[in-house]
Amino acid sequence: MKETALPKPAPQRTFGRRGGRALSARQKTLIDDVLPRLRVPVSDGVQSDPASLFPGGEALWLEIGFGGGEHTVAQAAANPAVGVIGCEVFYEGLAKCLSQIESTGLSNIRLWDEDARVLVSHLADASIGRAFILFPDPWPKAKHHKRRLIQTDFLDDLARVVEPGGQVRFATDVRSYADQALTRFLAHPRFDWTASGPDDWRRAPPDHMPTRYEAKRLGDIAPVYFDFSVTSLS
């Protein structure tokens, strides 16, 4: 009897509705006309070398879930020799980021507007120098914790694409997510927590760029910032 392969279950969504308030005419133009020029190209079954997107760039950084784009744009402006890839699925946030890119004239930013896990799975090994995951959707209800981005399989992929010695920064203002994420990072053999004392995670790092979301203090704790170094495979 011929065996039929069962379809793989769809991955848990790590974000909610993509649309919120209706976009203005200007925002819609940015989404329709500018975003396609900045979108990271991805082909099924092919690993992408993001260095080709930024010829002559000294390093490549990745931000997952950039909200309104303040941190992504500020980092790109402060580090013009670095190519920055920003991931965000929400149209309003994408439009805000595109508006900032247009107004600043920055040329070292590329965007991904679908599930960040898809992009990460397509990136070449050790192709990213730094990754930022700042205040991701906390999915606060216990029954939804499985939808949180920081899961073991995602950390496997993240460790693969961040170069040995590279850095991953995770920040949240939700206690349960801070505890869960830190536990998972520490349990993973490829991540070393670089904190040497409480101030290293209670205070924003010197190179952190605050965002409007962060300033709203919507979580149940003050923001915490966890920096991890990615170790080699050996």
Side-chain angles (χ1 to χ4, degrees):
M1 181 182 294
K2 182 179 180 180
E3 294 185 357
T4 302
L6 295 176
K8 294 182 179 179
Q12 290 281 351
R13 289 189 66 181
T14 60
F15 51 88
R17 282 191 312 126
R18 297 191 61 184
R21 293 180 295 179
L23 299 178
S24 68
R26 169 61 176 161
Q27 289 176 322
K28 190 173 186 305
T29 297
L30 289 169
I31 293 293
D32 292 343
D33 298 342
V34 181
L35 178 59
R37 300 201 302 266
L38 297 180
R39 184 180 288 119
V40 178
V42 165
S43 300
D44 287 343
V46 178
Q47 278 198 342
S48 300
D49 181 3
S52 63
L53 302 174
F54 307 99
E58 295 179 1
L60 294 168
W61 295 356
L62 171 70
E63 180 166 1
I64 297 175
F66 59 64
E70 301 100 330
H71 182 271
T72 295
V73 171
Q75 290 288 3
N79 301 277
V82 172
V84 181
I85 298 174
C87 304
E88 181 55 65
V89 297
F90 295 106
Y91 298 126
E92 188 174 0
L94 284 162
K96 288 179 179 177
C97 186
L98 288 166
S99 179
Q100 295 174 73
I101 294 171
E102 288 276 278
S103 64
T104 57
L106 291 170
S107 60
N108 59 329
I109 299 178
R110 299 295 292 268
L111 302 178
W112 176 253
D113 57 324
E114 299 292 342
D115 191 329
R117 295 172 298 179
V118 174
L119 175 64
V120 172
S121 71
H122 282 79
L123 293 178
D125 295 359
S127 57
I128 299 296
R130 296 184 72 183
F132 303 91
I133 306 171
L134 308 178
F135 306 97
D137 193 328
W139 292 99
K141 293 182 180 179
K143 66 180 181 180
H144 292 151
H145 285 185
K146 60 182 177 291
R147 296 182 180 271
R148 289 173 169 174
L149 179 64
I150 306 302
Q151 308 289 344
T152 301
D153 56 350
F154 174 72
L155 293 183
D156 289 341
D157 245 356
L158 193 62
R160 179 185 61 79
V161 302
V162 177
E163 64 187 13
Q167 183 193 69
V168 174
R169 176 171 295 161
F170 174 87
T172 185
D173 55 2
V174 176
R175 183 182 300 277
S176 67
Y177 205 176
D179 292 342
Q180 183 187 68
L182 183 58
T183 297
R184 287 190 170 145
F185 272 107
L186 293 178
H188 198 284
R190 297 286 309 282
F191 293 97
D192 284 341
W193 192 19
T194 62
S196 59
D199 282 349
D200 289 335
W201 52 271
R202 289 177 179 168
R203 295 181 180 178
D207 63 346
H208 174 67
M209 312 292 187
T211 66
R212 282 175 287 180
Y213 172 85
E214 185 178 352
K216 292 178 181 179
R217 294 292 196 268
L218 298 177
D220 56 359
I221 59 172
V224 294
Y225 309 85
F226 301 141
D227 279 350
F228 303 92
S229 177
V230 177
T231 65
S232 63
L233 288 170
S234 57

